[in-house]
Amino acid sequence: MIPTQSTASAVWLVAEREIGSKLRSKAFMISTGILLLVALAGVLIGGFASKTSTPDAVAATSQTASVVRALPNVTVTEVGDRAEAEKLVLDEKVTAAVLPADDDPTGVVILAKKDAPSSLVMGLSQSPQVEILQPATTNSLLRYLVAIGFGVVFLMAASTFGATIAQSVVEEKQTRVVELLISAIPTRVLLAGKVLGNTVLAMAQILLLAAIAVVGLIVTGQNEVLAGLGAPVLWFAVFFLFGFILLASLYSAAAAMVSRQEDIGSTTMPLMMLVMAPYFLVIFFNDNPVVMTVLSYVPFSAPVGMPVRLFVGEAQWWEPLVSLVILLASCVGAILIGAKIYENSLLRMGARVKLVEALRG
């Protein structure tokens, strides 16, 4: 057995090799740059689109000014009488005028040159009183967008770096490089280094995306959304870290069971389904509290499900802690199983190694 210091050094040496090979890859750097630009564009476009439009300039007398000022997105120009209001409307200095009208049920009349602003008409229309028994904690569209955001980031990072690990393992087997590597370091050290290196890269990408999202929200003036996303984003980073380690261990083990690049899909497809299924479930059932509660405790969907529930205020303070404990236990189990499969399959060339054989050794 090699000393602990030497083991740590060997793990980091393998991790550095994984990180360096990716950073030297033009394809990886270009794809990362495109991903960051797309994320920034998405945040900016969504932010500017959600900002309030230019306020409507509306003329009003002293009797109607208080009513008009209560409407959203309106600036009021107070006038003395109807003639002055008509002149402002005809000169297009205001979009409309609101004057008192005793013969109208609403008590007011709207003057417009051609078309009255629909928002003004709706705001002054009489509507029945509405009582909401179960008020929504957040805007449904915003909830959907947040679910998509967390889901896309997790799906892309997990699938991209999972595939990278799988290709690296098979490439080393196919070229027989792995025989030289494990003659110098233990098999589990090689596995740990691969997982560590790709985890560092994945977390760096996640942190860059988070920074871009923060900058985009600040630029577009969405401070309230940013304040609400703070804690969920931190929890997402924590859940993603351990969720990715779980997946990386399983991807490495699955790839070790084959000897050709063409066969990777046969062993990694189940893992891809485990990543994609929770993503689609969170997207489709983001407004279903029961389904979201279940998904926030399932290890493969917790990195997306729990942050979404935290953002909308449906999760109690202790729930992410319990979910994280479940994820950590699953992560330990995946590492132990993955290491056993990896160790028993790495030097077996030729036909695909069956799962039962890989577990038995």
Side-chain angles (χ1 to χ4, degrees):
M1 181 180 292
I2 58 177
T4 304
Q5 184 66 30
S6 300
T7 301
S9 300
V11 169
W12 182 243
L13 186 64
V14 176
E16 282 185 327
R17 176 174 173 270
E18 292 288 319
I19 295 171
S21 65
K22 295 300 292 181
L23 294 180
R24 289 190 296 271
S25 170
K26 290 184 180 180
F28 173 75
M29 298 302 292
I30 292 174
S31 62
T32 300
I34 292 174
L35 174 63
L36 297 178
L37 287 175
V38 169
L40 179 60
V43 174
L44 292 177
I45 292 172
F48 286 125
S50 64
K51 292 183 73 173
T52 56
S53 57
T54 305
D56 290 321
V58 179
T61 63
S62 57
Q63 297 98 316
T64 60
S66 59
V67 176
V68 178
R69 286 195 179 96
L71 301 176
N73 206 31
V74 170
T75 58
V76 178
T77 300
E78 194 163 332
V79 296
D81 53 25
R82 181 186 178 99
E84 186 178 354
E86 287 182 357
K87 186 175 187 306
L88 291 176
V89 171
L90 292 173
D91 292 342
E92 297 186 352
K93 293 182 178 179
V94 295
T95 56
V98 179
L99 305 175
D102 296 333
D103 57 343
D104 192 280
T106 62
V108 296
V109 62
I110 298 176
L111 302 182
K113 185 174 182 179
K114 293 181 180 178
D115 295 309
S118 57
S119 58
L120 183 64
V121 175
M122 294 295 294
L124 295 174
S125 299
Q126 289 184 328
S127 302
Q129 183 178 355
V130 179
E131 294 184 7
I132 306 299
L133 299 180
Q134 293 183 338
T137 54
T138 56
N139 179 278
S140 58
L141 177 60
L142 181 59
R143 178 187 185 124
Y144 181 70
L145 292 176
V146 169
I148 287 182
F150 283 134
V152 167
V153 170
F154 181 76
L155 176 63
M156 292 192 65
S159 58
T160 299
F161 288 100
T164 298
I165 294 175
Q167 291 171 0
S168 174
V169 170
V170 176
E171 182 181 352
E172 289 173 355
K173 284 189 67 173
Q174 205 168 16
T175 58
R176 302 281 182 167
V177 172
V178 68
E179 297 176 8
L180 297 175
L181 292 174
I182 64 173
S183 66
I185 56 175
T187 307
R188 297 199 174 199
V189 170
L190 178 61
L191 172 62
K194 285 185 174 296
V195 172
L196 176 61
N198 284 277
T199 300
V200 169
L201 288 170
M203 286 302 299
Q205 196 173 83
I206 293 298
L207 293 176
L208 284 173
L209 287 170
I212 283 177
V214 169
V215 171
L217 291 173
I218 292 175
V219 169
T220 55
Q222 299 184 84
N223 295 326
E224 292 184 5
V225 176
L226 179 59
L229 275 175
V233 167
L234 291 176
W235 276 109
F236 175 74
V238 173
F239 274 91
F240 177 86
L241 172 62
F242 296 107
F244 182 80
I245 292 174
L246 182 153
L247 288 170
S249 303
L250 295 178
Y251 264 103
S252 300
M257 296 168 64
V258 297
S259 303
R260 301 187 308 164
Q261 295 283 352
E262 297 84 355
D263 298 330
I264 292 178
S266 62
T267 55
T268 59
M269 182 57 69
L271 295 176
M272 180 59 69
M273 296 304 297
L274 286 175
V275 175
M276 294 183 66
Y279 161 71
F280 286 111
L281 288 173
V282 169
I283 297 300
F284 294 142
F285 295 99
N286 70 89
D287 56 349
N288 189 313
V290 176
V291 175
M292 288 298 295
T293 300
V294 174
L295 292 175
S296 65
Y297 287 98
V298 176
F300 293 99
S301 57
V304 179
M306 187 57 75
V308 172
R309 290 187 64 223
L310 288 168
F311 174 73
V312 300
E314 293 178 354
Q316 300 296 320
W317 66 267
W318 51 267
E319 289 192 69
L321 299 176
V322 174
S323 180
L324 185 59
V325 170
I326 295 173
L327 178 58
L328 287 172
S330 303
C331 188
V332 171
I335 290 173
L336 294 176
I337 295 173
K340 187 175 183 64
I341 295 173
Y342 184 82
E343 196 170 25
N344 292 337
S345 306
L346 196 59
L347 292 180
R348 300 181 66 172
M349 304 297 176
R352 170 185 168 183
V353 181
K354 294 182 179 180
L355 180 59
V356 176
E357 294 176 358
L359 290 171
R360 288 177 180 172

